Amino acid sequence: MKRHLLVGTMGAKDKPAIDTGTDEVRSDVQLLNAGGIAYGIQTALNDLRKLDLVPDEIGIDLLILGALVYAADTRISRATEAQDGWTREIRIVTPVSDVAAWERARPIVMRALGFLSGDRWSIEFRKRPAGKERLAGTVPTPLLQTDLLGVNLFSGGLDSLIGAIDSLTKDEKPLLVSHAGEGAGSKAQYLCHAELKARFLKQRFEWVRLPMVFAHDLADGVGSETSTRARSFLFFAFGVAAGTALRRRFELKVPENGLIALNVPLDPLRLGALSTRTTHPFYMARWTELVAALGIDGSLANPYWAMTKGEMVEACTDKAFLLSIADKSISCSSPAKLRWAGQAQGHCGYCLPCLIRRASIPDGDPTEYYLTDMKRRALNSAEAEGVQVRSFQLAIARLRARPELAKVLIHKPGPLYDHDIDDQAEMAGVYARGLEEVGRLLDGVRTKPK
């Protein structure tokens, strides 16, 4: 059980003196290599530059901070390093281009991270070492404004695929950005992008990926972590950094259905560790504050926060095309788990995202699920195949018995005081409709412990 300090360094001569507590373990993360900025960042910057896009230095700072957060989140085990098996104590010291600007933003960053991952974060900033004042590279001249109009997060999931289709059919000229990490999501991104390119030959859009993975021994003697609660901080950071390269006011679109965005715990045991907050309205509001505090001329929005996944599918501007390629996208929470059954990575069919996905396409779903027939036999609610199903059944029954609870339950994952009463009423509505959507899928599905 230890506190951890990650220090971002830039070059062999950059050895900052940082006071370290007696119970704090320091790990230096070398951010530069012979090719530029390490951990896939330079690859992404080079791909942006091919499009005549160069992020500003605050954008680079944000991307580096996102990398250090992602490193800490995925390479510091909760099981061994947290006093309670979940809440880690993590301090990050990162070099930035403008310390004063980042100091103003520091409370927002810490508040956002604490809410997102459930850990205790401390973020500190230091000036970049001499000679590293500019990391983005020379700005192209003449500096022409790009015709790309905004940025869309593109994860390889069904929601982000709908977001891309909607933007392209409306000729919004989006820049799609992806985090290419570990797992089946990376393959899904390629497959979905290929289908979009073939379909929208005359529409202007581009796609860039951030291929970031950290070594498992980043923190010496510490195991890796698989919960990845803070991954969206990196994803958002990359989206905003790319947005600064557009050289115009931009909107970063974060496509996510309202049921997942709210992620109301299905039962009391799911509070905290089992309730992710990747696109929760409170977290999104903190990012709006952060962008403004840093002086970035942009905004973030989830256009689908008031829609269920099924409503997103139904309202898609090219539904027929969506259904023809939906199987290329990936929604499963852990598609690699099918390997134990001798199957390729894919959809298990019984995790929470799989159930919401199945419910959203009641007819014509081309997706192959490992659990093909949910009604053939009673599902074991003490095992993975039935845990989420049973939890959904209980949550659905509770809300059917007391519909007014929706207005209370939407506050369980976190505060909603950034939103007015009308917004919160809409959130209660999308939560109730989302549960009913899944309820129709589970009608006749039996669960029992063995």
Side-chain angles (χ1 to χ4, degrees), residues 171-441:
D171 198 23
E172 292 179 346
K173 299 179 176 62
L175 172 65
L176 308 180
V177 299
S178 304
H179 169 226
E182 301 153 298
S186 185
K187 179 181 178 182
Q189 292 163 11
Y190 274 110
L191 293 174
C192 290
H193 176 256
E195 295 289 349
L196 292 172
K197 288 294 286 185
R199 178 71 170 185
F200 297 99
L201 286 172
K202 297 181 179 180
Q203 264 60 48
R204 172 79 164 108
F205 75 103
E206 298 291 349
W207 179 43
V208 290
R209 295 181 5 126
L210 174 62
M212 182 176 291
V213 177
F214 285 89
H216 288 278
D217 60 351
L218 183 76
D220 190 34
V222 176
S224 295
E225 174 59 37
T226 60
S227 59
T228 62
R229 286 299 189 266
R231 179 175 181 258
S232 74
F233 191 88
L234 171 65
F235 206 1
F236 283 29
F238 183 36
V240 172
T244 68
L246 298 183
R247 302 190 286 275
R248 64 164 78 236
R249 179 165 181 79
F250 69 92
E251 181 178 72
L252 172 62
K253 290 187 177 181
V254 184
E256 187 75 271
N257 69 84
L259 187 60
I260 286 289
L262 287 170
N263 207 11
V264 176
L266 297 177
D267 60 64
L269 296 179
R270 292 174 181 271
L271 289 173
L274 293 175
S275 183
T276 58
R277 296 160 168 175
T278 302
T279 54
H280 188 273
F282 180 86
Y283 177 64
M284 293 282 292
R286 303 289 73 75
W287 266 93
T288 298
E289 289 181 351
L290 177 58
V291 167
L294 292 173
I296 295 172
D297 191 17
S299 61
L300 289 86
N302 176 5
Y304 307 101
W305 68 268
M307 301 174 71
T308 70
K309 202 180 194 81
E311 289 166 353
M312 286 181 66
V313 171
E314 191 62 32
C316 180
T317 50
D318 195 340
K319 182 182 175 183
F321 172 58
L322 171 68
L323 294 182
S324 72
I325 65 166
D327 59 330
K328 305 294 192 298
S329 66
I330 190 80
S331 300
C332 189
S333 61
S334 49
K337 64 178 174 281
L338 296 186
R339 287 174 176 168
W340 62 263
Q343 303 288 320
Q345 293 189 76
H347 290 91
C348 67
Y350 51 76
C351 68
L352 186 143
C354 275
L355 292 173
I356 294 174
R357 179 189 175 105
R358 293 179 82 151
S360 73
I361 313 177
D363 301 304
D365 186 356
T367 310
E368 292 185 8
Y369 298 100
Y370 175 72
L371 181 61
T372 55
D373 186 354
M374 300 178 66
K375 300 179 182 180
R376 183 173 62 84
R377 57 177 174 81
L379 302 178
N380 183 1
S381 59
E383 299 290 343
E385 67 171 22
V387 170
Q388 307 287 1
V389 173
R390 183 59 177 161
S391 292
F392 260 121
Q393 289 174 330
L394 293 172
I396 293 163
R398 176 178 57 180
L399 202 61
R400 284 174 176 171
R402 297 183 60 192
E404 70 278 7
L405 277 179
K407 294 179 181 179
V408 176
L409 294 174
I410 59 170
H411 295 271
K412 293 293 184 181
L416 289 171
Y417 51 77
D418 294 283
H419 300 266
D420 61 30
I421 292 177
D422 289 342
D423 282 347
Q424 294 183 40
E426 268 198 283
M427 291 177 193
V430 75
Y431 170 60
R433 297 196 309 276
L435 282 191
E436 279 302 313
E437 199 168 275
V438 178
R440 290 189 288 273
L441 170 73

Side-chain angles (χ1 to χ4, degrees), residues 40-56 59-60 63 136 138 140 146 148 150-151 174-178 204 206-211 237-247:
I41 294 177
Q42 193 63 52
T43 299
L45 293 179
N46 291 344
D47 288 343
L48 283 169
R49 191 173 184 80
K50 292 174 184 176
L51 304 173
D52 194 26
L53 299 176
V54 179
D56 64 24
I60 298 294
L63 190 47
T138 305
T146 179
L148 295 168
V151 184
L175 172 65
L176 308 180
V177 299
S178 304
R204 172 79 164 108
E206 298 291 349
W207 179 43
V208 290
R209 295 181 5 126
L210 174 62
F238 183 36
V240 172
T244 68
L246 298 183
R247 302 190 286 275

